[in-house]
Amino acid sequence: MTAPRLRLNLDALAENYHMLRRRGPNAVLPEQAGAVVKANAYGLGAAPVSRRLWQEGCRRFFVAVAEEGVQLRQLLPQAQIYVLAGATTATVDMLRNHGLLPVLNSLNQCTLWAGQGDAPAALHIDTGMHRLGLSSDVDVTKLPQLNLELVMTHFARADEAGHEMNGQQFDEFLQCIGKLEKLGRDFFVSTNNTAGALSHIGQGGSNARWVDRLGIGLYGVNPQLETAPSSAARALATVATLEAQVLQVRSVPSGVTVGYGATYGVQKSGRLATVSAGYADGVPRLLSNQGHVGFKGQKLPVVGRVSMDSLVVELPESCALGEGDWVEIFGSTVPVETIARQAQTISYEIFTGIGARVQR
């Protein structure tokens, strides 16, 4: 038996990329639709994801920290790589030496980067997240001279398309960039993540100036919270499939219990299959007695507690599952959004929590 495996459908990734950048009235050119590939492309593999997106025309990539940017630069020598953590005394040389663009988040960072000459950078304006960025009421006339390639903000509630906070943040941002433009600055502008792009929240003026930061939607996940997601969200193709092999199939009589704590009792005689994936591989323990795995379109219920290295499913009489077969932990049969909901979390955490021993 082998370790669990994660399969990526890179054609689906490309399909999602082009669908998201073309959606609705806000279509942008491939080079203006940026890809967020931080945290190893949300746990799925930054190298294959980034290479394929580059082939599809993507030229802008966003990472969290400088070290991620250095790794990506080795893969994509000509890409525009933005580092969301900005510039610090510990990373300024790394950023400059590898041609990375820090997203400047404070006056101190602006001053530090201004000392690097004419090296380009991005500027983050905080309009309501209160996480990173300069306050939207900053006196832009007091900013040091910077070669600003892009100015961005981040919506706090973009996954709630109708929420009034989105409009308030967008208006604050437009006022701030208007002040920067009066100083003669010329830069790209970025507001939308996937949720914002799907909801058409933040874009105005010429499309030639606006850059989307596409993240979770690239990987096939709908971030919208509405019970009736948009047609574009429903059209997202499945990119990631996590699979594991069956270690054993056994026949059991009625009345036996399964797993730690004996939390499940078999109601009638039948078969149980032990699958070689557990919480060490990123399968949430909260799926115990409520989750499912997929096999040839069937959903098989997880019974008993999920263990570190395995889980158990109960088989219907008609199921031909046998030792050595592969089952789907999440994918087209069991969407990752379903796993996240049952585990009381979000798809981002499920993806980034995939264990190190999973073969990609």
Side-chain angles (χ1 to χ4, degrees), residues 6-77:
L6 179 71
R7 293 191 296 110
L8 296 185
N9 184 338
L10 296 179
D11 290 339
L13 174 78
E15 178 184 335
N16 291 338
Y17 170 70
H18 290 298
M19 186 277 289
L20 287 167
R21 74 173 183 82
R22 291 171 179 153
R23 85 274 171 231
N26 294 341
V28 296
L29 298 172
E31 59 268 24
Q32 288 170 233
V36 183
V37 294
K38 63 184 180 179
N40 194 27
Y42 292 32
L44 303 186
V49 164
S50 300
R51 288 195 185 105
R52 181 56 184 268
L53 291 173
W54 178 267
Q55 292 175 12
E56 298 300 319
C58 183
R59 296 296 180 261
R60 300 173 185 272
F61 297 82
F62 292 83
V63 297
V65 295
E67 290 80 1
E68 291 178 334
V70 172
Q71 294 172 1
L72 185 58
R73 175 61 72 214
Q74 295 169 355
L75 296 171
L76 302 177

Side-chain angles (χ1 to χ4, degrees), residues 150-172:
L150 178 140
V151 179
M152 61 169 277
T153 194
H154 196 73
F155 293 124
R157 307 186 76 156
D159 49 1
E160 302 171 77
H163 199 280
E164 63 181 11
M165 189 175 180
N166 295 317
Q168 294 168 356
Q169 284 191 257
F170 188 52
D171 290 343
E172 282 189 33

